[in-house]
Amino acid sequence: MKPETLFDKIWDSHVVRSIEGGPDVLYIDQHFIHEVTSPQAFDGLRARGIDVFRPSMTLATADHNIPTVNQNMPIRDELSRRQVETLTRNCNEFGITCYGLNDPHNGIVHVIGPELGYTLPGMTIVCGDSHTSTHGAFGTVAFGIGTSEVEMVLATQCILQPKPKKMRIRVEGELGRGITAKDLILYIISQLSTSGATGYFVEYAGSAVESLSMEGRMTVCNMSIEMGARGGLIAPDDTTFEYLRKIPALSNRPDFYALVKKWSRLRSDPDAVFDRELTFDAGKIKPMITYGTNPGMGISIDESIPALEEISDETKASFIKSLNYMGFTPGMKLAGQPVDYVFLGSCTNGRIEDLRAFAGFVRGRKKAPGVTVLIVPGSKKVEKQAIDEGLADILKDAGFVLRQPGCSSCLAMNEDKIPPGKYAVSTSNRNFEGRQGPGARTLLASPLTAAAAAVTGRITDPGELMQD
Amino acid sequence: MPKEKFDILESTCIPLPIENIDTDQIIPARFLSLTSREGFGEYLFRDWRFDKSGNKIEDCVFNNPRYSGRILVTGKNFGSGSSREHAVWAIAGYGFRAVVSSFFADIFRNNCLNNGILPVVVKEDYLQNLLKTIRDNPSTMARIDLDKQLFTVLPDGEGISFEINPYKKECLLNGLDDIDYLLSIQDAIKAYELRKTLGK
Ligand code: SF4
């Protein structure tokens, strides 16, 4: 048999049929929906007079535009309220499970899928949200789709997709102390640029990737889209199975160990061919931060922003526009720059390990005066865990408040907006112009770098405060 | 459900020579709260077209009366970032039918094709020349012939060919949509499900 990549194995086993010279009809095992990108899809079904084909294979949550305080009160913004109500109504009408606001299972779609055991190795998973690639951490083919495609999945459990090319990115060696999965992926994106993996599906491998926890792996896969990739995945291993075993809904299944056995075979064959292969040295990675308005514009925190001469001619106009927006100049150093806001949260870094890392860092320290800090758990479960483990108290003692779960400042559809011109060190995934509110200036970084900024009020290498 | 067919488009163009334009620029998130497909056109590039107080930003190309048309010509890696189809609804709602660039982000390209907007990929140096031509002469007309897969600057430019997936081309030419196709093969989908449960 021809050697195959893990991606090929999963994709090919889900092809219902291939259209001559066209896309594949791909069967979807798990579909997630949320309030923002689904209403028009349900309208489409109604206009055609059809039902949802397999309602049990779609799961809904409200996350994108919900407030992160007083969630028990009616949503103040009328349009947001209407969107959340529309989702509930659509799910009731079409028989779809919906973890709405205040449900103990509610949370950001890419946080709850894995934590509730919906995300399983070998699956095809889609959602009308580009960070669906997060689920790839479990060895799934998971990617974001548009609303027309959401409608396709609701109507037929299939979508039409051209098969992407395959890339493998190995990161070998050991990450230094205080260097996180977020630094690793920001480093890779800075090397590849924001379009460097467009057209590809990426498999992450190598000892540094294998040594990551499931949460770290989710952070890495989450940001695949930021280099243009269709998605990213990591072969499941004991770390994966151990994580899944701790989910009661799964370990209670009589066939759990049979499934683990099946999942253990999900890996790329030794001589499988990739269209492109890259290798990076984990030892070279330092704490990363972005300085511009796309996630590819990242540097390590002790470096300077590139000088104008280092930028190619076609890119110069965008580079200058970007630095103007950020209020930075070419060649300047970022370390030591004042920070107005810090955001810990999102489907990239809103999991319990991220909250633990942040709380561990600020324990015994105090929030810097003048910095506003938004700490938003990724789900109700993460929120509860943070309270039960005492993290909320540690945060409180240091002058921080734990908010309620949601996407929050990641895309600022709710009230958690960064004001125009203000600088925010954010653990989310996008630093686009206006992403965190009109005129907001976002610097993407890890939870530790966010914590260092929260206690110093400046862009600070967390390593400098970790020497003990 | 049948959509507007795409065959030949002749139009002036609007030049936007910026790279890596993401969907958060095309339609900022705070305008995603509508629950229908209509009404997004007025929010297209909202924060580039209007300042905080809602006044027109004069040097934005969309506010420059010299430029108009149904073809948007723009820098490399257009449409990166969020999968929001609202970006394409905004482009369509504003009146565009085609976007020309040297490179498109994947999800955005799919979203375009699913909404009758044609993404035309041209080489980088061709794109740079085209942007210059339009800026030098805003009344420049271009012609897109989907059937022949040709993009031509009128009146006498040399037509250059562009790629499009043959299946998607058929869909656009005939105004067909993927869901009609998928619904028509539901038996094959059920047969697949059966094979899968039987463990093949
Ligand atoms: S946290 Fe941000 S990136 Fe993640 S699903 Fe929500 S809006 Fe999308």
Side-chain angles (χ1 to χ4, degrees):
Chain A
M1 262 198 332
K2 197 167 152 257
E4 284 181 315
T5 69
L6 171 57
F7 170 77
D8 288 320
K9 290 181 189 181
I10 301 174
W11 181 282
D12 294 351
S13 67
H14 287 82
V15 173
V16 173
R17 73 160 59 154
S18 301
I19 300 172
E20 264 299 295
D24 288 338
V25 177
L26 194 70
Y27 191 83
I28 302 302
D29 296 322
Q30 179 64 50
H31 182 210
F32 296 108
I33 58 172
H34 59 83
E35 74 276 25
V36 177
T37 57
S38 66
Q40 296 85 354
F42 284 107
D43 283 347
L45 298 184
R46 277 187 210 102
R48 288 170 205 267
I50 53 175
D51 261 334
V52 172
F53 181 55
R54 297 289 180 236
S56 66
M57 295 172 93
T58 293
L59 176 72
T61 181
D63 55 2
H64 276 62
N65 70 22
I66 58 176
T68 55
V69 289
N70 299 329
Q71 290 189 340
N72 54 333
M73 310 274 281
I75 301 177
R76 283 219 304 254
D77 180 74
E78 200 204 309
L79 286 173
S80 297
R81 191 174 64 241
R82 204 184 308 152
Q83 255 185 352
V84 171
E85 287 168 359
T86 306
L87 179 73
T88 314
R89 204 167 355 101
N90 282 333
C91 288
N92 284 341
E93 181 182 335
F94 288 94
I96 290 168
T97 305
C98 177
Y99 296 141
L101 206 53
N102 297 311
D103 188 296
H105 294 323
N106 176 260
I108 303 173
V109 60
H110 311 310
V111 176
I112 66 165
E115 83 186 1
L116 298 175
Y118 283 86
T119 302
L120 300 178
M123 278 183 163
T124 47
I125 299 180
V126 293
C127 172
D129 183 284
S130 55
H131 293 94
T132 308
S133 56
T134 314
H135 307 262
F138 292 79
T140 70
V141 167
F143 53 91
I145 55 177
T147 299
S148 298
E149 293 166 317
V150 171
E151 190 180 334
M152 289 179 212
V153 180
L154 290 174
T156 68
Q157 207 54 39
C158 289
I159 52 170
L160 290 166
Q161 282 297 294
K163 190 175 179 184
K165 290 181 283 186
K166 290 147 293 182
M167 181 188 296
R168 178 159 55 191
I169 298 179
R170 292 178 192 273
V171 188
E172 301 288 359
E174 250 178 79
L175 290 172
R177 181 153 165 267
I179 310 299
T180 67
K182 183 62 164 291
D183 300 302
L184 183 151
I185 188 65
L186 283 174
Y187 176 80
I188 294 175
I189 301 167
S190 76
Q191 301 297 302
L192 266 93
S193 90
T194 163
S195 60
T198 302
Y200 290 93
F201 212 97
V202 177
E203 178 173 347
Y204 301 95
S207 52
V209 172
E210 283 159 23
S211 70
L212 294 173
S213 66
M214 283 320 288
E215 311 212 337
R217 294 179 189 188
M218 284 188 250
T219 302
V220 170
C221 290
N222 173 276
M223 290 194 72
S224 305
I225 180 78
E226 306 310 338
M227 50 189 178
R230 204 72 184 80
L233 81 174
I234 296 170
D237 60 10
D238 288 344
T239 307
T240 323
F241 308 140
E242 192 47 29
Y243 179 100
L244 295 170
R245 199 180 56 80
K246 293 203 184 114
I247 300 172
L250 293 178
S251 52
N252 290 340
R253 279 176 67 157
D255 59 346
F256 182 70
Y257 287 95
L259 284 171
V260 169
K261 213 166 149 202
K262 195 172 108 193
W263 295 333
S264 320
R265 291 197 291 270
L266 290 169
R267 40 193 54 249
S268 290
D269 295 327
D271 348 305
V273 180
F274 290 81
D275 299 285
R276 198 168 166 209
E277 294 231 42
L278 294 167
T279 303
F280 296 104
D281 174 0
K284 288 219 175 100
I285 304 174
K286 295 195 202 152
M288 295 289 295
I289 192 153
T290 63
Y291 60 88
T293 54
N294 74 55
M297 301 173 88
I299 50 177
S300 71
I301 217 164
D302 56 2
E303 277 176 328
S304 305
I305 295 174
L308 209 49
E309 304 82 72
E310 296 168 59
I311 305 296
S312 74
D313 277 351
E314 310 98 75
T315 310
K316 258 189 191 128
S318 318
F319 178 76
I320 295 169
K321 181 173 187 298
S322 175
L323 290 196
N324 282 343
Y325 180 86
M326 293 299 291
F328 293 148
T329 46
M332 100 183 230
K333 256 199 169 328
L334 283 184
Q337 289 296 314
V339 169
D340 308 296
Y341 279 74
V342 169
F343 170 53
L344 177 75
S346 88
C347 60
T348 314
N349 282 125
R351 297 189 176 77
I352 192 66
E353 277 184 11
D354 303 310
L355 267 70
R356 282 185 199 134
F358 189 98
F361 193 95
V362 302
R363 182 203 286 263
R365 297 191 165 103
K366 284 273 178 243
K367 182 180 88 62
V371 184
T372 307
V373 180
L374 297 161
I375 301 179
V376 184
S379 69
K380 278 301 228 194
K381 188 163 169 245
V382 171
E383 180 191 17
K384 180 168 184 305
Q385 231 177 324
I387 295 168
D388 293 350
E389 287 182 14
L391 303 181
D393 291 332
I394 297 175
L395 292 170
K396 199 166 149 219
D397 291 345
F400 302 100
V401 183
L402 181 68
R403 298 173 81 91
Q404 291 174 302
C407 293
S408 175
S409 278
C410 174
L411 89 167
M413 267 190 87
N414 68 355
E415 287 144 12
D416 305 344
K417 292 185 176 45
I418 310 296
K422 298 291 182 196
Y423 289 97
V425 172
S426 296
T427 64
S428 46
N429 42 54
R430 285 185 174 145
N431 50 357
F432 298 151
E433 280 183 30
R435 171 79 178 182
Q436 296 194 284
R441 293 162 163 169
T442 304
L443 302 115
L444 300 175
S446 76
L448 289 178
T449 304
V455 296
T456 61
R458 300 184 172 275
I459 298 174
T460 306
D461 180 342
E464 285 172 16
L465 299 178
M466 284 169 78
Q467 279 139 16
D468 34 50
Chain B
M1 280 180 297
K3 298 202 154 68
E4 198 188 335
K5 293 181 186 176
F6 194 118
D7 39 30
I8 288 174
L9 174 67
E10 279 186 11
S11 168
T12 47
C13 311
I14 297 188
L16 194 60
I18 299 186
E19 292 186 354
N20 297 322
I21 293 177
D22 57 78
T23 49
D24 273 81
Q25 308 316 312
I26 302 174
I27 178 120
R30 62 185 191 283
F31 302 119
L32 302 184
S33 298
L34 297 179
T35 50
S36 77
R37 276 181 159 93
E38 272 80 57
F40 288 99
E42 62 176 296
Y43 305 125
L44 179 75
F45 287 109
R46 181 70 186 204
D47 294 338
W48 291 11
R49 286 162 54 205
F50 298 95
D51 66 16
K52 268 172 276 170
S53 348
N55 301 316
K56 275 189 180 175
I57 297 173
E58 288 306 330
D59 57 4
C60 172
V61 66
F62 295 100
N63 294 330
N64 185 337
R66 285 160 40 102
Y67 299 111
S68 64
R70 309 199 69 193
I71 303 175
L72 179 65
V73 182
T74 183
K76 178 168 88 185
N77 195 29
F78 187 72
S80 57
S82 160
S83 60
R84 58 185 71 154
E85 198 158 315
H86 313 66
V88 175
W89 300 334
I91 287 174
Y94 194 81
F96 290 112
R97 284 243 55 203
V99 186
V100 181
S101 179
S102 55
F103 198 91
F104 289 96
D106 276 339
I107 304 180
F108 179 81
R109 201 192 43 226
N110 278 353
N111 286 344
C112 278
L113 291 165
N114 285 335
N115 286 279
I117 299 282
L118 181 65
V120 178
V121 181
V122 297
K123 290 224 165 66
E124 183 65 36
D125 48 352
Y126 186 89
L127 178 70
Q128 294 304 330
N129 279 333
L130 177 63
L131 284 164
K132 187 168 180 306
T133 310
I134 304 164
R135 283 201 288 179
D136 291 348
N137 179 8
S139 61
T140 305
M141 293 283 285
R143 175 188 166 94
I144 299 174
D145 184 332
L146 175 58
D147 189 35
K148 298 207 177 82
Q149 297 179 221
L150 278 182
F151 180 89
T152 317
V153 176
L154 299 177
D156 47 11
E158 196 184 321
I160 58 148
S161 66
F162 58 87
E163 294 289 317
I164 180 169
N165 179 297
Y167 166 83
K168 280 294 176 190
K169 176 175 166 179
E170 272 316 295
C171 289
L172 280 182
L173 282 172
N174 298 309
L176 291 177
D177 105 7
D178 284 352
I179 300 181
D180 296 325
Y181 172 78
L182 286 172
L183 288 170
S184 77
I185 62 159
Q186 226 165 30
D187 286 344
I189 297 171
K190 287 186 183 148
Y192 170 87
E193 287 178 327
L194 193 63
R195 278 204 309 277
K196 213 164 165 172
T197 17
L198 296 178
K200 160 52 220 125

